[in-house]
Amino acid sequence: MQLLLVRHAESENNAKPVQNRVCDPSITARGRLQADCLGKWMSGLAIDQLITSPFLRTLETTRSILQHAHAPPRRYPVSVWHDVFENGGCYHGHHEKNFAGASGLSASAIESFFQEIAAQFPDREPPPLTLDPEIDESGWWGGKNRELPEEMQARSQAVIKRFEQTFSQQPGVEPLGEQENPVVVLIAHADFLREMLSQMLAGRVAMDAIGPIPNTSITSLQWSATGWKLTSLNSVTHLPPRLITGHQAMLS
């Protein structure tokens, strides 16, 4: 499996002071340009599975990838995973004294989002869409308390194992897509991607030396029986310099 870890485009929260942030922001005008560049670059890939967090900023980044698909979009099957959200979950407030759980988008809201994308291309078969069963009408977060750091670490471990078990070639199991080495793309968030990388590359890469993860940057890893191998880190070659953001501080 080749796994591409992609941070979402610049969100409105990335461009605001902490005290003005909201629980589930859209991407900014600059973020839409970033996502457009990302979508154009990814149109040249034969993607076997596209996975996204249920946050609005990751869905909007995913939209640009689907809009730029030149081949039949069935090569871009989409899954919305409930467990690849950003550190903390979906919540209101900016300080531990005023944190309050938010609901997050519901299953029907996410389905409508992708239906609107499909409606833009009536001559195309819409890509298959799968939502984790944990995402229901109460919202994917459901108003829970803010996630603790140790909970994110455990969740990251579970997500890594989920990738390994879902997309590795197993005896008697058909490979994903036409390739035995499927290309899988995850659109997620800076802090969560950093936690994933720290666990996947533990003992081999010093995370303190990696630096921030820019918006729409692409990190590529290869999975085999010997474990994870880093093949590229935080690439932003698809972006002009004026569109590179998130490289000076770690923001969600």
Side-chain angles (χ1 to χ4, degrees):
M1 164 180 50
Q2 181 184 6
L3 177 61
L4 303 181
L5 302 179
V6 182
R7 185 186 176 191
H8 60 80
E10 183 186 61
S11 78
E12 292 175 348
N13 278 2
N14 296 149
K16 291 179 178 179
V18 172
Q19 64 271 19
N20 294 335
R21 295 183 180 182
V22 298
C23 65
D24 195 3
S26 299
I27 59 176
T28 63
R30 181 163 53 186
R32 289 192 291 274
L33 293 174
Q34 294 169 341
D36 187 65
C37 291
L38 175 68
K40 290 176 181 176
W41 183 86
M42 285 203 164
S43 67
L45 298 180
I47 298 173
D48 293 293
Q49 186 71 47
L50 185 57
I51 298 166
T52 177
S53 151
F55 269 115
L56 183 57
R57 55 193 181 272
T58 47
L59 297 177
E60 290 180 337
T61 304
T62 299
R63 174 169 55 198
S64 286
I65 298 174
L66 295 174
Q67 288 173 330
H68 283 287
H70 296 311
R74 281 204 174 277
R75 74 171 185 173
Y76 288 92
V78 179
S79 292
V80 182
W81 284 12
H82 76 288
D83 50 4
V84 293
F85 55 86
E86 180 57 306
N87 175 24
C90 191
Y91 58 91
H92 303 285
H94 60 277
H95 189 275
E96 60 183 12
K97 293 182 179 180
N98 63 4
F99 288 145
S103 61
L105 292 172
S106 67
S108 59
I110 294 174
E111 289 169 350
S112 295
F113 180 90
F114 285 100
Q115 288 168 0
E116 290 176 4
I117 299 173
Q120 298 174 17
F121 306 97
D123 58 331
R124 294 186 190 176
E125 183 77 13
L129 174 65
T130 304
L131 273 61
D132 276 353
E134 290 83 356
I135 302 173
D136 57 25
E137 287 310 296
S138 65
W140 65 266
W141 188 245
K144 293 179 291 186
N145 292 333
R146 189 175 187 272
E147 178 190 53
L148 299 174
E150 56 267 29
E151 293 174 325
M152 183 187 72
Q153 292 171 358
R155 174 168 59 89
S156 176
Q157 292 175 352
V159 167
I160 293 169
K161 185 175 293 185
R162 183 177 182 183
F163 274 108
E164 294 170 357
Q165 294 177 343
T166 302
F167 301 111
S168 296
Q169 182 61 34
Q170 304 292 332
V173 178
E174 289 293 323
L176 178 68
E178 299 179 356
Q179 304 296 325
E180 293 186 1
N181 184 32
V183 177
V184 181
V185 176
L186 171 64
I187 310 296
H189 309 266
D191 287 348
F192 185 67
L193 293 177
R194 174 172 288 276
E195 181 61 34
M196 285 184 66
L197 286 169
S198 70
Q199 296 183 26
M200 296 161 114
L201 305 173
R204 288 172 288 164
V205 175
M207 293 304 296
D208 290 344
I210 287 179
I213 300 177
N215 293 109
T216 72
S217 63
I218 304 163
T219 292
S220 177
L221 301 105
Q222 191 75 33
W223 166 254
S224 68
T226 59
W228 291 99
K229 179 182 178 181
L230 181 67
T231 54
S232 69
L233 177 67
N234 291 340
S235 173
V236 288
T237 56
H238 56 285
L239 295 177
R242 65 184 177 83
L243 291 182
I244 299 175
T245 61
H247 57 297
Q248 295 177 330
M250 286 183 286
L251 300 170
S252 65

